[in-house]
Amino acid sequence: MVAVEPLEEEYERARRVALEALRQTTPDFDLLSPKSREYYVYVAAKLVMYAWFRGKEFTQLSEAEVVDFLRQYRPTSRVTVWNVIRRFYPPGFRVRVKAMVHMPRALNSSQLKKLYECVKDEPTLRAVFLTLLYTGMRRSELVTITLDDVDLELGHIKVTGKGGKVRYVPIVRQLRPVLEEWISTHRPAYVERALKLLESQGERGRALAEQYRSRVFPFSAKTVNEWFQRVSACAGFRVTPHMLRHTFATRLIMRGVPINVVQALLGHSSIETTARYIMIAQPDREEVSSALEGVVG
């Protein structure tokens, strides 16, 4: 029988306490991805052990002690850790976490117009750009959707995201004609050229060609990145595929779409990840002016 070190035994006990606490305070905990659940338990177990070291239960820690606990993490990680453990404390329990927070970067209307000017005359770039913008898909999701995943009749796209989680994203009216044109007109010619090139590259190329045959966008994530470098040079500012995802989420929140709906459309496991967009979803100046019109006479 293998001897268990006291510290390891204590950590396992802390994990059990943490897991029970998380399930009590987070109704959808078991619906999170395995990686997210493991991270939540790891952080909460560290908090439990920190409290035990001080002769307390973790729910009895003061604000100052929680801040001290957070200081063991890098500044860029403290907000994430606090978002895990804050559920154990009442709403009035305020901890000001000083951190360099990486905020999503969304594009404004002027930037989107410039970008569209750069892609509108290239069918492939136009289809990729507008699909990312109007669905909020990740680049890795875009290049794996198949023709069977796109249901133009029902008006949605089946997207398989991180951890194999499936969600359905609506095909909005602005995107429908773009997808129809790409699938029926431009994609067949692109696929024919791509498959000929791949099949000439031996067994590995033929295997890749077989994958691409059914994909809506038959190219790699690396190729998409290279195209966006070209688009950035044309527009005069840096843009990435993920910025279009940020823009999609921010615009929805600006227009009053409930945050849980935005969470579902993005495929986020935790609503706290989606909540970042509230901080950057600022209304346009004209909207503010209209709302305040007539306030002072």
Side-chain angles (χ1 to χ4, degrees):
M1 182 175 179
V2 179
V4 178
E5 294 291 334
L7 187 61
E8 182 182 341
E9 191 175 66
E10 185 180 37
Y11 175 64
E12 287 304 318
R13 185 161 65 94
R15 281 180 61 88
R16 290 194 293 272
V17 171
L19 181 58
E20 182 180 354
L22 285 165
R23 282 181 169 149
Q24 288 177 355
T25 56
T26 313
D28 61 347
F29 177 75
D30 289 320
L31 300 179
L32 299 176
S33 69
K35 185 180 288 187
S36 294
R37 289 199 302 271
E38 178 58 32
Y39 180 74
Y40 276 45
V41 172
Y42 170 76
V43 168
K46 296 277 281 187
L47 178 71
V48 170
M49 293 182 68
Y50 173 90
W52 287 348
F53 182 76
R54 282 156 179 74
K56 295 183 175 184
E57 294 302 317
F58 67 98
T59 53
Q60 298 171 339
L61 293 174
S62 67
E63 293 183 6
E65 287 172 321
V66 171
V67 170
D68 183 62
F69 170 76
L70 290 167
R71 284 199 183 104
Q72 69 181 293
Y73 294 93
R74 294 192 309 270
T76 51
S77 301
R78 289 173 192 162
V79 169
T80 305
V81 174
W82 170 237
N83 282 336
V84 172
I85 67 174
R86 68 192 306 168
R87 68 200 69 232
F88 303 135
Y89 303 102
F93 195 100
R94 296 189 179 278
V95 174
R96 301 197 178 280
V97 183
K98 293 183 179 179
M100 295 171 58
V101 185
H102 173 69
M103 294 303 296
R105 182 182 169 191
L107 300 164
N108 59 38
S109 298
S110 175
Q111 290 172 318
L112 289 172
K113 287 176 182 176
K114 283 185 180 179
L115 290 169
Y116 185 70
E117 287 298 313
C118 292
V119 304
K120 68 178 184 179
D121 295 326
E122 295 192 44
T124 305
L125 286 182
R126 183 174 70 247
V128 168
F129 175 80
L130 293 177
T131 301
L132 289 171
L133 177 63
Y134 285 125
T135 65
M137 275 193 276
R138 300 176 179 93
R139 176 198 58 187
S140 57
E141 295 168 343
L142 177 86
V143 297
T144 54
I145 57 173
T146 66
L147 292 171
D148 288 339
D149 293 329
V150 178
D151 193 325
L152 291 169
E153 184 177 347
L154 292 179
H156 66 231
I157 302 172
K158 177 183 175 183
V159 181
T160 304
K162 292 181 177 179
K165 291 182 297 183
V166 173
R167 66 186 190 275
Y168 291 86
V169 179
I171 301 172
V172 298
R173 59 179 175 79
Q174 298 93 326
L175 180 59
R176 175 180 287 276
V178 176
L179 277 178
E180 288 176 341
E181 181 185 17
W182 168 252
I183 291 172
S184 64
T185 305
H186 303 295
R187 180 188 173 279
Y190 187 97
V191 169
E192 185 178 355
R193 291 194 305 270
L195 294 188
K196 281 183 180 178
L197 179 62
L198 288 169
E199 288 169 350
S200 68
Q201 295 176 0
E203 187 175 340
R204 187 169 179 274
R206 286 193 293 273
L208 195 57
E210 198 57 38
Q211 293 178 24
Y212 281 5
R213 197 181 303 278
S214 64
R215 290 183 182 175
V216 175
F217 296 103
F219 29 76
S220 67
K222 181 181 177 183
T223 298
V224 174
N225 277 349
E226 290 170 352
W227 286 342
F228 270 76
Q229 289 173 7
R230 281 176 48 201
V231 174
S232 296
C234 169
F237 56 87
R238 181 174 177 268
V239 62
T240 67
H242 219 67
M243 286 180 189
L244 298 181
R245 178 173 166 84
H246 296 328
T247 304
F248 170 82
T250 304
R251 295 272 167 150
L252 291 181
I253 289 175
M254 283 172 61
R255 282 155 178 76
V257 176
I259 191 169
N260 61 312
V261 175
V262 179
Q263 177 193 6
L265 291 174
L266 293 174
H268 285 160
S269 297
S270 171
I271 202 164
E272 290 161 355
T273 305
T274 317
R276 296 178 305 162
Y277 294 103
I278 295 176
M279 300 174 67
I280 61 170
Q282 301 300 323
D284 293 334
R285 197 180 332 176
E286 291 75 13
E287 293 177 0
V288 175
S289 298
S290 176
L292 296 175
E293 190 173 351
V295 169
V296 200

